[in-house]
Structures are given as structure tokens and as C-alpha cells.
Amino acid sequence: MNKNSWYEVDKKGLSQLLGRRSKAFIVYKMAQNAWDQNISKVEITLEPVKSRRRYRLVVTDDDPEGFKDLTDAFTLFANSYKKGDPTKRGRFNLGEKLVLAFCEEAEIITTSGSVKAQEVPFCIISA
């Protein structure tokens, strides 16, 4: 364990805990995240990856600000700016982490930078 961290998150274990949910949960969660932002348009594409039992998920929106803090993309339970707003769904800073638990590979690209896990620009979801 890294001396700077008090605990670790087992991504595979989290994925197994969430496994009871349908895969539609992943798409819904990403739509929720987009709707919480200052957007007028969100596009979600889910397509099979040829010759594999996997799916490619791409979510694109027109939020001019993107992530206010890019570390929110990979930090669990950080203080959320949405916490004081009862109209926002993302008060716990957890949404995309639940989606990433299902991914084998992912990339988040926003106005303030990007974060990659592997070297592909999409989320691969196991069937």
C-alpha cells in the first residue's frame, strides 16, 4: 500500500458488487452525469466491438466548462460542488467511478485535460 493512501479500491470487486445491475445502468449513469452539467446536447453511442464480447461506449456533450476539477474523474468521495444543490444528481462524486469499474479500458477527455487507463479513447464494457 502506498504510504500516502489509507486504503485502496478493488476495481474488480466493485464491478462484482455492481454486477447485479443491468448494463443499462452504465448508460443511464453517464447520461445523468451529463444532465447535471450546463449542456444543451449529449450524445451516447454504444456499439459492439467486432470479434469480442465487448461494447464501446462513447459519451459526448457540449458543456463549455467540462470537469471543473479533472481529479473528480478518478477520486472517490471528494467534496462535490453539487452537494449544496438538490437539483443535481452528482452530490457524492461517485458516478463515473461506478461506470469505470465496469471498463477494461477508458479515456476521459475534457476541456481541462484528459485521463487515460490504457491507450484507447473509449470504455470497453464486458458483455
Side-chain angles (χ1 to χ4, degrees), residues 11 14 18 25-26 28-34 36-37 57 59 67 69-78 80-82 90-103 106-108 115 123:
K11 185 175 146 287
L14 178 57
L18 296 171
F25 162 79
I26 296 167
Y28 177 70
K29 193 51 128 169
M30 294 308 292
Q32 276 187 324
N33 284 357
D36 267 355
Q37 300 309 117
L57 173 65
V59 181
F67 273 86
D69 182 349
L70 188 53
T71 63
D72 286 346
F74 54 85
T75 304
L76 285 165
F77 302 114
S80 173
Y81 72 93
K82 299 176 188 179
R91 293 182 301 274
F92 305 107
N93 209 352
L94 184 61
E96 58 279 331
K97 276 66 81 180
L98 297 177
V99 173
L100 292 173
F102 284 100
C103 298
E107 181 175 23
I108 297 171
V115 177
C123 174

Side-chain angles (χ1 to χ4, degrees), residues 2-119:
N2 179 335
K3 72 177 187 171
N4 293 326
S5 78
W6 285 77
Y7 61 89
E8 295 181 17
V9 175
D10 183 339
K11 185 175 146 287
K12 185 175 179 179
L14 178 57
S15 178
Q16 288 172 347
L17 286 172
L18 296 171
R20 295 183 201 114
R21 296 178 185 236
S22 73
K23 299 296 190 235
F25 162 79
I26 296 167
V27 176
Y28 177 70
K29 193 51 128 169
M30 294 308 292
Q32 276 187 324
N33 284 357
W35 293 330
D36 267 355
Q37 300 309 117
N38 182 25
I39 65 164
S40 60
K41 178 177 156 182
V42 62
E43 294 179 12
I44 299 174
T45 305
L46 183 64
E47 60 190 14
V49 175
K50 292 180 181 176
S51 73
R52 297 179 72 192
R53 286 190 52 205
R54 305 286 189 260
Y55 294 87
R56 178 179 188 217
L57 173 65
V58 178
V59 181
T60 307
D61 64 51
D62 63 351
D63 182 0
E65 292 184 45
F67 273 86
K68 289 185 187 306
D69 182 349
L70 188 53
T71 63
D72 286 346
F74 54 85
T75 304
L76 285 165
F77 302 114
N79 194 18
S80 173
Y81 72 93
K82 299 176 188 179
K83 191 175 282 187
D85 187 345
T87 66
K88 302 289 185 189
R89 295 167 189 86
R91 293 182 301 274
F92 305 107
N93 209 352
L94 184 61
E96 58 279 331
K97 276 66 81 180
L98 297 177
V99 173
L100 292 173
F102 284 100
C103 298
E104 291 178 2
E105 303 163 346
E107 181 175 23
I108 297 171
I109 302 171
T110 186
T111 57
S112 60
S114 65
V115 177
K116 291 182 184 181
Q118 301 296 323
E119 292 297 321

